């Protein structure tokens, strides 16, 4: 039987691990889109658009962890009224930069606007996921788990669904609701047998029991 302090430490460790997984997933998606957009523009317009160069520069600031410069570069690009798909990604970068600067209120504001503006977009699930992480970092655990539940309810085919379940369980732990956390971990174990998700859930159950 673990103490409340040990449970909180375990929960924080779990958040760090979950956030690392999220960063890897998010980076893969953004990198794919970064490659796709310049090629599409060059193909259609047969010329190099200066905005693409500036976009790549902004991306470089982000991956160099120069988040304040990322925000500045994003604002410069947005002022030039870029194409819709590029605008969406610029805003996403800007929100992620605010998140990395621990300015979660500004990040949340942008994520919410992206969700409203692009409700059926193929990357909108990532906006919802990032919003949930922002709530968690603010300590608004109930709001965070409800936002991840949105992924389960409205993006049931998304690859982020298992992570949503794991994140809900983690936030129940952070709320001190061990009973519901165990229930979700058991659900994960049953829904995703013989996967990294079930293995992780079973380890958490051993710790919490």
């Amino acid at each position: 039987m673990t103490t409340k302090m040990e449970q909180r430490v375990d929960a924080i460790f779990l958040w760090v691990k979950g956030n690392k997984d999220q960063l890897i997933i998010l980076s893969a998606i953004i990198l794919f889109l970064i490659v796709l957009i310049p090629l599409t523009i060059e193909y259609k317009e047969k010329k190099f658009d200066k905005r693409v160069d500036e976009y790549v520069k902004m991306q470089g600031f982000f991956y160099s962890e120069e988040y304040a410069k990322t925000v500045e570069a994003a604002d410069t690009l947005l002022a030039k009224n870029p194409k819709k798909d590029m605008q969406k990604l610029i805003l996403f970068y800007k929100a992620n930069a605010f998140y990395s600067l621990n300015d979660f209120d500004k990040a949340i504001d942008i994520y919410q606007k992206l969700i409203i503006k692009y409700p059926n977009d193929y990357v909108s699930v990532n906006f919802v996921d990032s919003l949930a992480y922002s709530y968690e970092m603010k300590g608004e655990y109930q709001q965070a788990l409800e936002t991840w539940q949105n992924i389960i309810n409205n993006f049931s085919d998304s690859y982020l669904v298992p992570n949503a379940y794991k994140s809900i369980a983690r936030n129940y732990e952070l709320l001190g609701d061990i009973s519901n956390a165990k229930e979700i971990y058991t659900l994960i174990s049953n829904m995703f047998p013989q996967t990294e998700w079930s293995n992780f859930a079973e380890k958490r159950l051993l710790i919490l029991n």
Side-chain angles (χ1 to χ4, degrees):
M1 185 72 177
T2 58
T3 66
K4 289 184 178 179
M5 179 60 70
E6 288 171 332
Q7 291 169 358
R8 179 56 59 89
V9 170
D10 286 337
I12 292 172
F13 173 80
L14 179 55
W15 178 87
V16 172
K17 185 179 187 302
N19 202 42
K20 181 181 178 182
D21 293 344
Q22 170 68 5
L23 179 60
I24 293 170
I25 292 169
L26 184 60
S27 297
I29 292 172
I30 292 176
L31 285 172
F32 171 77
L33 293 171
I34 287 169
V35 171
L36 178 63
I37 289 173
L39 289 177
T40 302
I41 292 174
E42 277 195 307
Y43 176 79
K44 288 184 176 180
E45 300 184 1
K46 302 297 183 182
K47 66 179 181 180
F48 186 80
D49 191 328
K50 186 178 179 181
R51 285 173 298 182
V52 174
D53 185 39
E54 293 174 347
Y55 178 84
V56 173
K57 185 178 181 180
M58 178 196 66
Q59 173 251 337
F61 286 142
F62 183 83
Y63 287 106
S64 296
E65 299 183 359
E66 297 180 82
Y67 302 120
K69 288 185 177 180
T70 303
V71 173
E72 292 176 5
D75 286 337
T76 298
L77 276 167
L78 291 169
K80 296 180 179 181
N81 193 28
K83 294 181 179 181
K84 186 176 180 180
D85 280 347
M86 185 177 283
Q87 184 180 82
K88 170 182 60 184
L89 293 177
I90 293 167
L91 285 168
F92 197 26
Y93 262 114
K94 183 178 179 180
N96 292 339
F98 279 132
Y99 177 95
S100 298
L101 289 166
N102 296 326
D103 196 338
F104 303 114
D105 286 329
K106 288 182 180 178
I108 287 170
D109 182 62
I110 296 174
Y111 292 136
Q112 289 176 333
K113 288 177 179 176
L114 284 168
I115 291 167
I116 293 170
K117 189 170 183 179
Y118 306 98
N120 301 313
D121 193 273
Y122 62 102
V123 294
S124 58
V125 64
N126 296 92
F127 305 151
V128 178
D129 192 51
S130 298
L131 176 63
Y133 274 110
S134 298
Y135 283 133
E136 180 174 336
M137 287 300 292
K138 281 192 68 181
E140 297 178 6
Y141 305 128
Q142 185 65 40
Q143 189 68 41
L145 67 86
E146 289 174 5
T147 304
W148 269 302
Q149 186 65 48
N150 183 9
I151 292 178
I152 295 169
N153 294 343
N154 299 311
F155 303 91
S156 59
D157 295 331
S158 172
Y159 67 96
L160 287 174
V161 166
N163 181 68
Y165 277 111
K166 184 176 78 170
S167 299
I168 288 171
R170 178 176 66 250
N171 278 264
Y172 273 131
E173 285 195 64
L174 290 167
L175 284 166
D177 190 343
I178 304 305
S179 177
N180 269 322
K182 288 164 65 175
E183 183 178 336
I184 298 299
Y185 284 130
T186 300
L187 183 64
I188 292 170
S189 181
N190 293 332
M191 287 183 66
F192 311 104
Q194 298 181 339
T195 66
E196 61 174 299
W197 306 105
S198 63
N199 291 339
F200 189 83
E202 287 162 11
K203 289 178 182 178
R204 293 305 301 166
L205 286 168
L206 285 174
I207 292 171
L208 297 177
N209 283 330

